[in-house]
Amino acid sequence: MKNLRIIVALFTLWLPFILTSSLSSCPKDCICDLDNSGRYYTACDRGNMEQIPINEMDKKMEIIIIRNPKHKLTIGHLFTDFKKLEILRITEANVPAIGEHSFWGVPSLRTLDLSRNNISQIFTDNFKGQQNLIELNLSYNIMERIPSGAFVYLKSLRTLSLAENFLEELVPRTFQQLAKLRYLDMSGNPFDDLTPDVFRDIMDLKTLKCRRCGLTKINPQLYHLLWQLTELDLGDNQFKYLEKDEFKDLKNLKRLNIDGNQLSVVVDNIFIRQKSLEYLDLSRNRLAKISDKAFVNLSNLTHLDISYNKLSDLALDYMCDLSKLRVLNISGNVQMSLFGIREVFENLTELDSLAIADITNLPSNIFKPLSKLKMLNISGTNLRNETNTILASLTMLKELDLSRNQLRGFDDELIQKLLKIESVKFDYNPFICDLCNMESILKRQSEMKWKYMPKCFQPQHLRGRPINRLRRDNLVHCFENFADETVDSAVTSYNFLQESRVNVLAIMGASIFVLLLLIIIVSISILTRQRAFYYTREDGKEEQDNEKCLEGSLITGTEINFKFPLDDRSIYTADEISLPPPPQASVNFHQINPEKGSSKKGFVKNS
Ligand SMILES: *[C@@H]1O[C@H](CO)[C@@H](O)[C@H](O)[C@H]1NC(C)=O
Ligand SMILES: *[C@@H]1O[C@H](CO)[C@@H](O)[C@H](O)[C@H]1NC(C)=O
Ligand SMILES: *[C@@H]1O[C@H](CO)[C@@H](O)[C@H](O)[C@H]1NC(C)=O
Ligand SMILES: *[C@@H]1O[C@H](CO)[C@@H](O)[C@H](O)[C@H]1NC(C)=O
Ligand SMILES: *[C@@H]1O[C@H](CO)[C@@H](O)[C@H](O)[C@H]1NC(C)=O
Ligand SMILES: *[C@@H]1O[C@H](CO)[C@@H](O)[C@H](O)[C@H]1NC(C)=O
Ligand SMILES: *[C@@H]1O[C@H](CO)[C@@H](O)[C@H](O)[C@H]1NC(C)=O
Ligand SMILES: *[C@@H]1O[C@H](CO)[C@@H](O)[C@H](O)[C@H]1NC(C)=O
């Protein structure tokens, strides 16, 4: 052990000499060194170069990294002498174009990263001589089109990112000669539609990402061609529904993201061929219903995210097909009834991570069947003094999020329990730092090792003080002089100002609602005058019609309360017109969150 240390020390001592003796020069303001796998690299990221200091670089360089946000750099025929260059990254440098034959004579190049520049066009000749290139990153540029055959010289390419450009369509044979391509990221381009034919050249693709592509559907032919996909990411698009046999050709799928779309239902048997699926993200849709047989054959699924939808319950009928589930997120389904959920949990014997944030009224025995749970997120669940009981059976917890609740203090039992958990988050709780609430921690302050320490909210002069730094002589016995209402309103506005999350906003339903309705009415009336007339007069009817579309299911009423902070972009769109009229919304709101009435009053008074 000791010997080893001496050798390491000697080696570090000599390293600069070894380096300087074998590398003749390093440009000023750059760093030249060996990376973890022993390759020479130069990194210039101080951002003040007028041009790439190529002449001062050692020609043995294997990795060159240039990041230069201040000036505009041009690249041309610069790298011919670098016969060992494997990785070249020139990013955030306002590079306007790649240049003809720029990398000609550098056949060693494996990775070329030109992301975050100002490249508007690429040409076939840009990549001449790059038959060994494996990865090309052109994301965050300003390309509007890519010519046919642009990549024909890149016969070994496996990874290509065209994300965050301005591509509206792909011309035929865009991917000519890219038969080895496995990973394609096209996210953040306004395609609206993907033409299957273009993908004929890359039929061995394993990963396809097209988030934020404005897609409303996928041509089945595309799935048919790309049947080898193991990962498909269609998040943040505009899908309103999926065909019954949407994914029938994708038998190898392991990861599927359809989060952030507008789906309202998951129909029976839709994943029947996805026996290999391990990861499914359906969060941030408008799901009001999951059919009983929706998850049939998903026997290998380990990760399910259905958070921030409009589900009213979690049913055993479909959950019992997911016996291997380890991670489950049902947060933000604010109307979800949790009373039957225990039997679902009883079935999920492998579960070790559960997020159930932003749902109130947790039954006290809810987690009893989940004794193996390691990670639990119960932020924003309006917990107060029932925390002890709720956590009682969870003895294996390593991570717990209790943020945005109504915790005021700790008793012996609670603090004992929490001290056993490695990571606990307590942000935005109205902790009262007096002896009534904090007595039990005073003798255990040294045991608190959490990264995020709970902080006092009351009394005013201790606000923000971490509780491990409280001293007995600073604390009053029982901090009087406050009504529940004041604390509630204080913490409510405090929350809102610092972190605009779902539940908090829901609390203020009524006041914000009026504002929102105004904005919607104004924007709709700007869109079409007749429509505005129609909706303001016939709100009620429209709402009923929409309810029917959601497969005869529940909902509306409070839906707007939790939806709007999640997806700002969709607030003002025309299909948000299923908004209920304000008075009804606040009535429903009281039914769901009966205890919150006072805090809402407090807020209104406060503001
Ligand atoms: C990026 O390129 C466009 C034209 O292609 C030009 O108008 C713009 O000024 C460039 N931006 C920067 C920061 O160089
Ligand atoms: C491409 O570059 C972007 C921005 O620099 C980065 O976020 C992304 O991970 C890169 N993609 C690949 C496939 O390396
Ligand atoms: C799905 O599972 C059922 C049994 O639950 C089985 O009969 C059927 O063959 C499976 N379908 C596919 C496509 O694997
Ligand atoms: C399911 O997972 C197991 C273990 O990870 C794996 O061996 C098996 O091949 C998977 N089944 C399918 C159909 O992919
Ligand atoms: C749901 O919870 C999981 C596990 O805690 C987390 O990885 C995921 O990001 C969460 N989803 C959303 C939409 O917050
Ligand atoms: C899960 O539920 C199904 C159907 O109710 C039942 O047959 C099975 O035994 C349950 N599994 C566990 C582990 O409780
Ligand atoms: C818990 O859930 C909330 C709401 O979804 C989220 O903001 C927070 O980041 C989660 N906490 C952890 C530790 O993942
Ligand atoms: C929690 O507090 C309420 C009133 O503030 C009280 O009625 C109830 O008994 C308390 N519950 C526990 C478990 O201490």
Side-chain angles (χ1 to χ4, degrees), residues 308 329 331 355 357-358 375 377-379 399 401 404 425 499 501:
Y308 300 98
N329 192 342
S331 300
D358 299 314
M375 194 265 162
N377 189 340
I378 41 176
S379 60
E399 211 184 321
D401 194 340
R404 297 182 291 115
K425 281 183 144 183
E499 189 181 45
R501 289 302 309 186

Side-chain angles (χ1 to χ4, degrees), residues 251-254 273-278 297 299-302 324:
K251 296 189 183 113
N252 300 307
L253 219 48
K254 285 191 190 316
R273 304 242 160 63
Q274 274 68 51
K275 281 204 157 149
S276 317
L277 199 67
E278 291 165 7
N297 285 9
S299 51
N300 257 12
L301 199 74
T302 56
K324 282 206 190 155

Side-chain angles (χ1 to χ4, degrees), residues 131-336:
Q131 66 276 18
N132 295 317
L133 197 72
I134 289 172
E135 186 179 328
L136 175 61
N137 194 336
L138 293 169
S139 64
Y140 297 91
N141 278 289
I142 57 167
M143 296 185 288
E144 284 172 18
R145 54 183 296 276
I146 291 176
S148 182
F151 307 109
V152 286
Y153 293 115
L154 305 178
K155 292 196 168 59
S156 306
L157 201 67
R158 293 180 68 91
T159 301
L160 174 62
S161 177
L162 301 171
E164 312 296 337
N165 278 279
F166 298 99
L167 303 169
E168 284 178 13
E169 61 166 349
L170 294 172
V171 298
R173 311 294 325 251
T174 299
F175 302 120
Q176 193 181 351
Q177 297 288 347
L178 294 188
K180 295 234 172 89
L181 201 68
R182 297 292 180 273
Y183 177 106
L184 176 61
D185 189 350
M186 309 193 297
S187 300
N189 287 288
F191 287 119
D192 296 344
D193 193 18
L194 297 176
T195 346
D197 249 10
V198 179
F199 295 85
R200 274 185 201 287
D201 289 309
I202 47 172
M203 280 169 44
D204 288 347
L205 208 60
K206 294 276 199 280
T207 301
L208 177 64
K209 299 190 180 191
C210 210
R211 296 182 74 83
R212 299 178 302 284
C213 285
L215 304 173
T216 53
K217 60 177 181 350
I218 295 279
N219 185 327
Q221 189 64 27
L222 181 64
Y223 293 128
H224 192 69
L225 286 170
L226 301 182
W227 62 274
Q228 300 190 61
L229 283 181
T230 56
E231 184 175 353
L232 177 62
D233 189 344
L234 297 173
D236 291 322
N237 281 295
Q238 316 283 331
F239 287 85
K240 287 198 165 57
Y241 60 90
L242 298 170
E243 299 294 340
K244 239 181 14 225
D245 55 357
E246 178 92 20
F247 303 115
K248 71 174 193 304
D249 289 316
L250 303 182
K251 296 189 183 113
N252 300 307
L253 219 48
K254 285 191 190 316
R255 282 179 75 100
L256 177 60
N257 284 72
I258 334 174
D259 54 306
N261 280 281
Q262 297 161 19
L263 305 176
S264 55
V265 56
V266 187
V267 298
D268 282 344
N269 298 326
I270 182 151
F271 302 117
I272 196 161
R273 304 242 160 63
Q274 274 68 51
K275 281 204 157 149
S276 317
L277 199 67
E278 291 165 7
Y279 178 105
L280 177 59
D281 189 349
L282 290 163
S283 64
R284 298 181 298 111
N285 278 281
R286 298 171 184 180
L287 297 178
K289 186 175 166 64
I290 295 178
S291 298
D292 292 352
K293 297 201 167 77
F295 296 149
V296 164
N297 285 9
L298 287 186
S299 51
N300 257 12
L301 199 74
T302 56
H303 185 122
L304 176 66
D305 194 339
I306 45 175
S307 61
Y308 300 98
N309 280 292
K310 302 175 181 178
L311 296 166
S312 60
D313 61 4
L314 191 67
L316 191 58
D317 300 309
Y318 50 85
M319 290 305 289
C320 68
D321 291 316
L322 308 178
S323 56
K324 282 206 190 155
L325 210 60
R326 292 200 293 110
V327 180
L328 174 64
N329 192 342
I330 54 174
S331 300
N333 289 288
V334 296
Q335 294 183 320
M336 189 177 268

